[in-house]
Amino acid sequence: MRNLQRTILAATAALALGICVDASANADTPGYFVPPKFRHQVPPVYSDAARAAHETGTVLIKVLVSPDGKGKTFTIFHASGHKDLDNAVLAAVRASTYAPGTNAGKPIMAFYDVTYRFTLQGLAQNVGSETDLGKRLSSNRADVNTRIELATIYINKKNYAQAESTLESGERMFPRNAKLLGRLGIAYFQDASQSNDEVKYKKAADAFDRALAIDSHVDTAGTAAAAYGHYGFNLLRNQQADQALPYAQKAVALSPKAMDFKLLLGEVEEAMQNYTAALTDLKSAQDTDDHKNPAKSAIVLTDIGVTQLSMGNDAAGIASINQAEQIDGHNPQPYQALYAYYLRKGNLAAALAPLKQLAVVQPNNAPVQANLGNLYVRQGNYAAAKAAFDRAVAIDPQSPDAQFGMAQLAAGQGQVAAADSALKKAIAANPHDTAIYEATLANLFLNPTADKADHTPDGLRYAQEATAADPNYAPAWYSLAIAYADQKKKDETNNALRKAYGLFKAKNDKSGMDAVNQVYKKVNGNDISY
């Protein structure tokens, strides 16, 4: 089941990228502010005990440097989470000496930001300002470490364009430097997270692919898994499950204990109808659930339930979804899943209950109200349908779902002109779903309407328009076949049925194939052959 918006940023919320130094342009130029710097830098001690205990983290300290170069105050602005590491950095900055900051060449009181990052590979320490590093890189363009350190400052300052440009230039010179490629992946990913740019997510994933192919142990601060997960989720959301699969697999391989990535992998496999693998991975995600986030627990259980339903295990599936509802009664996904299941089964009465609950959970969701109206139309409860569609329009007057709901309401009552008018508004708001809208109205006009008139010609017209709008939309051809069958046009009926059957078959839609075959058998007395 595709979830609405899930954040897969657990691995990136605390990215520690090394040097974070406030800096200015044009250092040492009269008339400009020049920040303080180390005169003699004493590095902190990363004790063997701390390393053995796998203590890692970033410490940022603001040092107030007086005009005579003395450190006056030392304030921790970002702690590592380990007191001994914080104390080691405090001791180091207190033991260091400083050159004061200047303004127009005159010493002034100013703050100096000092950052140390402890990793299991060692200690990343503050080695200079943006200006210092820029000068050093200008004098030696092949200095990869300086390039990476300068790009890191840009990343920490959220100047992603500059970071990417700096690293891309280095990539052209050193295309097989894993550390540089890894840092480029981090820059792209942070940029994408800020701008929600799918292209940058793809670039991040590609950069990490190259970095890890060169050095599988390259330090990416856990960002590679998050980049793969984000890009995979975007592909899944865009209904490209087959392309999402390898990225979900890479995310799980890099971060096997992360519940989000296992959940993503299960959802991708579910979308690909590989239900056995999906159920295995979704249950593995459930096994890693720490139960601290009821919303996530409910999502996993809902996905498990949907997969079980898809495998034909209805009792287990409904039980899993009901359990999800009990865990988080405010989560819309269990209600969405039950509504979809009962609707697919044609049990409108049962579908109404979870849809009503969904409307309570999401009272300002126009599409939910529109779906409620749709259900009432199918039940012939036009007064309740109108009330639901009115609520949808009140919530969002531009909602195509609400506008199309009005078209369905009119069609259910046999009001052709009103249906046409409302349909035009829905199509103007969402032209992409034109074929879906027209096929739906065709079905309504081909079924008994409240005015008890024969609207087969109207149903035929809408079905023809639907097949013209999207010749590959199988339900439109099915509706067209029903319209022709009502008019006793056998050849046209069979041609439309064969077209519908072929399209359903191409998508492995067995329920659609069965529905077509039932009509074909009724018309011809034998099963369809295709």
Side-chain angles (χ1 to χ4, degrees), residues 77 102 151 177 246 423 437:
F77 265 61
T102 61
N177 186 297
L423 177 63
Y437 294 157

Side-chain angles (χ1 to χ4, degrees), residues 14 41 52 67 92 101-102 112 121 187 204 230 248 266 282 286 289 295 302 315 323 328 345 385 389 398 423 510:
Q41 181 180 7
T102 61
Y112 184 40
Q121 288 73 41
H230 264 285
L282 290 169
Q286 186 182 31
D289 187 2
T302 301
Q323 187 180 353
D328 184 7
K345 290 286 187 179
F389 290 134
Q398 305 304 318
L423 177 63
K510 291 183 173 56

Side-chain angles (χ1 to χ4, degrees), residues 183-398:
R183 195 54 52 95
L184 181 59
I186 290 173
Y188 285 139
F189 179 75
Q190 293 286 75
D191 191 356
S193 299
Q194 181 90 7
S195 60
N196 197 28
D197 185 336
E198 290 191 25
V199 174
K200 289 292 174 68
Y201 279 130
K202 175 66 164 62
K203 285 188 172 183
D206 289 346
F208 285 127
D209 276 345
R210 294 174 58 199
L212 291 166
I214 296 166
D215 179 2
S216 61
H217 300 292
V218 65
D219 177 21
T220 60
T223 317
Y228 290 140
H230 264 285
Y231 185 56
F233 177 72
N234 285 341
L235 289 169
L236 177 61
R237 184 178 56 190
N238 293 330
Q239 299 183 1
Q240 296 172 290
D242 56 335
Q243 295 180 40
L245 180 61
Y247 293 100
Q249 291 171 330
K250 291 173 189 177
V252 171
L254 287 175
S255 190
K257 294 184 179 179
M259 173 182 170
D260 284 331
F261 302 139
K262 290 183 178 180
L263 176 57
L264 172 64
L265 180 56
E267 290 186 338
V268 169
E269 290 163 337
E270 179 195 333
M272 297 177 69
Q273 299 183 12
N274 188 352
Y275 299 123
T276 301
L279 189 59
T280 298
D281 287 319
L282 290 169
K283 287 192 172 181
S284 179
Q286 186 182 31
D287 290 340
T288 61
D289 187 2
D290 59 10
H291 303 290
K292 293 181 180 179
N293 187 330
K296 282 189 179 181
S297 300
I299 289 169
V300 174
L301 272 167
T302 301
D303 280 346
I304 288 173
V306 169
T307 303
Q308 290 167 329
L309 291 174
S310 299
M311 298 174 75
N313 193 347
D314 290 13
I318 291 173
S320 296
I321 295 171
N322 285 336
Q323 187 180 353
E325 181 185 340
Q326 292 169 6
I327 289 173
D328 184 7
H330 297 286
N331 193 311
Q333 295 197 33
Y335 307 123
Q336 291 170 342
L338 285 178
Y339 163 64
Y341 166 73
Y342 288 123
L343 196 64
R344 189 168 60 250
K345 290 286 187 179
N347 191 340
L348 303 186
L352 186 59
L355 190 56
K356 282 183 173 180
Q357 290 174 303
L358 188 59
V360 171
V361 171
Q362 297 182 318
N364 296 318
N365 188 320
V368 170
Q369 293 294 336
N371 284 336
L372 196 57
N374 297 341
L375 201 55
Y376 284 131
V377 167
R378 294 178 65 175
Q379 292 180 321
N381 189 344
Y382 299 115
K386 185 177 185 308
F389 290 134
D390 284 344
R391 286 194 295 270
V393 172
I395 294 168
D396 182 4
Q398 305 304 318

Side-chain angles (χ1 to χ4, degrees), residues 111-247:
F111 282 103
Y112 184 40
D113 290 359
V114 182
T115 299
Y116 288 95
R117 179 167 63 93
F118 296 88
T119 74
L120 297 181
Q121 288 73 41
L123 176 70
Q125 62 186 34
N126 191 326
V127 294
S129 70
E130 177 182 330
T131 303
D132 296 335
L133 292 169
K135 286 182 177 179
R136 189 187 306 172
L137 186 60
S138 294
S139 65
N140 181 8
R141 306 295 294 174
D143 187 342
V144 176
N145 289 333
T146 295
R147 186 177 294 277
I148 292 172
E149 289 163 3
L150 180 59
T152 298
I153 290 180
Y154 291 138
I155 293 171
N156 287 331
K157 294 176 72 173
K158 299 184 179 180
N159 186 349
Y160 301 120
Q162 192 66 45
E164 290 158 11
S165 175
T166 301
L167 292 166
E168 287 166 349
S169 297
E171 178 193 13
R172 288 190 287 272
M173 290 187 287
F174 303 100
R176 290 192 57 77
N177 186 297
K179 188 174 181 181
L180 188 147
L181 288 167
R183 195 54 52 95
L184 181 59
I186 290 173
Y188 285 139
F189 179 75
Q190 293 286 75
D191 191 356
S193 299
Q194 181 90 7
S195 60
N196 197 28
D197 185 336
E198 290 191 25
V199 174
K200 289 292 174 68
Y201 279 130
K202 175 66 164 62
K203 285 188 172 183
D206 289 346
F208 285 127
D209 276 345
R210 294 174 58 199
L212 291 166
I214 296 166
D215 179 2
S216 61
H217 300 292
V218 65
D219 177 21
T220 60
T223 317
Y228 290 140
H230 264 285
Y231 185 56
F233 177 72
N234 285 341
L235 289 169
L236 177 61
R237 184 178 56 190
N238 293 330
Q239 299 183 1
Q240 296 172 290
D242 56 335
Q243 295 180 40
L245 180 61
Y247 293 100

Side-chain angles (χ1 to χ4, degrees), residues 9-81:
L9 285 169
T12 63
L15 277 180
L17 296 177
I19 308 157
C20 280
V21 182
D22 283 343
S24 64
N26 303 306
D28 302 323
T29 303
Y32 289 92
F33 168 71
V34 178
K37 59 184 177 181
F38 282 118
R39 193 184 301 279
H40 172 66
Q41 181 180 7
V42 177
V45 176
Y46 190 8
S47 69
D48 292 340
R51 191 191 295 267
H54 286 200
E55 292 182 0
T56 60
T58 300
V59 184
L60 167 61
I61 292 183
K62 279 189 175 291
V63 181
L64 181 60
V65 181
S66 67
D68 60 1
K70 292 182 179 178
K72 304 296 291 183
T73 62
F74 305 87
T75 306
I76 295 179
F77 265 61
H78 183 282
S80 66

Side-chain angles (χ1 to χ4, degrees), residues 103 154 208 225 379 404 419 438 446 472:
N103 190 16
Y154 291 138
F208 285 127
Q379 292 180 321
F404 180 58
E438 290 171 337
L446 291 171
N472 295 313

